[in-house]
Amino acid sequence: MERVIASLPVVTGPEWAGVNYFCTTRAGGVGVAPHDTLNLGRRAGDDPDTVAENRRRVRAAVPADPLWLRQVHGSEVVDADAQDVPDEPAVDASVTAQPGRVLAVMVADCLPVVIADADGQVLGAAHAGWRGLSGGVLEHTLAAMRAKAPAATGWRAWVGPGIGSQVFEVGQDVLDAFTQDDPATARYFTPRAGLSGKWLADLAGLADFRLRRAGVQEVALSGMCTVSESERFFSYRRDGETGRMALLAWLDPV
């Protein structure tokens, strides 16, 4: 679903009572190739002043300063409501039960995933590449949310734009990372004809599988491929040096 929020073209998923979320695109900002235009990543090789201006524009679309993460392709989760949260904690997911607390994850092929309960009591946002996904970042995010809101039920998730199954070529290491945990996940890997030891991986399908296995009842997939939609999304796999989009999510302010 496409929308414009504070002059920014964004994509989002199903409407959830009490929850707000969207993923930016590469439109609506400033900057020059290969970071044109709305690059939000400070470590993507872009001009720092340009990134600062793009983050300022995103800040105008949300109710508070986002908690930006220094993502490390891991599975650790930070509680955004804690007193001692560092600036840009080196983790790949965050959770909050505080209305108006804005969570953020950056992506450029990896999956942005937002999770919430049916009543909008607690919220989580995760950066899920294949390493984090196979390492349990989504399960760890859900566990942290359950710890913050033990009575919460009706879990739901949106899996935003990421590298599509038609272009995500992987090797034996990625296949093993998932199938050693659960052989049933082999169905999300299609052998490449004529290329021994290579598969096409369905990263969004794997996220769906793991979310449902962890107890999320409703999972919506964006179906958008960052590699294929070059006019709309940044893609590290496609371009190498490039910018970063961001998923922003928050509970309704009181």
Side-chain angles (χ1 to χ4, degrees):
M1 183 188 308
E2 299 180 55
R3 296 178 59 193
V4 176
I5 299 177
S7 300
L8 297 179
V10 303
V11 295
T12 187
E15 292 187 8
W16 296 340
V19 178
N20 306 272
Y21 66 93
F22 62 82
C23 184
T24 63
T25 68
R26 65 184 303 169
V30 296
V32 297
H35 302 96
D36 48 329
T37 61
L38 191 68
N39 170 42
L40 300 169
R42 288 178 172 171
R43 299 172 183 85
D46 201 358
D47 175 67
D49 291 338
T50 298
V51 177
E53 170 58 21
N54 288 334
R55 289 196 176 193
R56 186 197 66 77
R57 296 186 182 201
V58 167
R59 172 64 182 85
V62 297
D65 289 334
L67 175 62
W68 299 99
L69 308 178
R70 183 167 186 166
Q71 296 158 195
V72 294
H73 295 276
S75 59
E76 292 189 23
V77 184
V78 67
D79 183 346
D81 304 334
Q83 294 290 332
D84 56 350
V85 179
D87 182 41
E88 293 197 7
V91 299
D92 287 83
S94 56
V95 297
T96 182
Q98 178 181 321
R101 181 63 158 134
V102 182
L103 308 181
V105 294
M106 288 184 293
V107 290
D109 288 335
C110 295
L111 300 171
V113 181
V114 59
I115 308 172
D117 68 296
D119 295 325
Q121 298 180 61
V122 65
L123 182 68
H127 162 254
W130 75 262
R131 289 181 179 85
L133 191 57
S134 64
V137 68
L138 299 182
E139 292 90 339
H140 293 174
T141 303
L142 187 60
M145 295 170 66
R146 284 175 164 147
K148 288 182 72 66
T153 58
W155 299 105
R156 52 200 178 177
W158 180 67
V159 179
I163 190 168
S165 59
Q166 71 275 23
V167 292
F168 189 27
E169 183 179 283
V170 302
Q172 186 73 45
D173 56 336
V174 179
L175 177 69
D176 290 346
F178 288 95
T179 57
Q180 287 176 357
D181 175 58
D182 191 331
T185 57
R187 67 179 181 269
Y188 297 102
F189 294 85
T190 304
R192 291 298 305 270
L195 289 176
S196 177
K198 296 293 183 182
W199 289 263
L200 290 175
D202 182 358
L203 196 64
L206 288 161
D208 186 7
F209 174 85
R210 295 189 71 127
L211 284 163
R212 293 183 187 277
R213 187 180 67 176
V216 177
Q217 290 88 2
E218 299 178 22
V219 181
L221 308 181
S222 76
M224 297 176 179
C225 174
T226 48
V227 176
S228 303
E229 299 188 51
S230 60
E231 296 299 315
R232 180 181 289 176
F233 300 120
F234 295 116
S235 167
Y236 182 81
R237 175 67 69 102
R238 183 188 65 232
D239 298 328
E241 185 177 359
T242 191
R244 300 293 186 271
M245 290 91 63
L247 168 72
L248 289 303
W250 68 96
L251 301 173
D252 276 345
V254 177

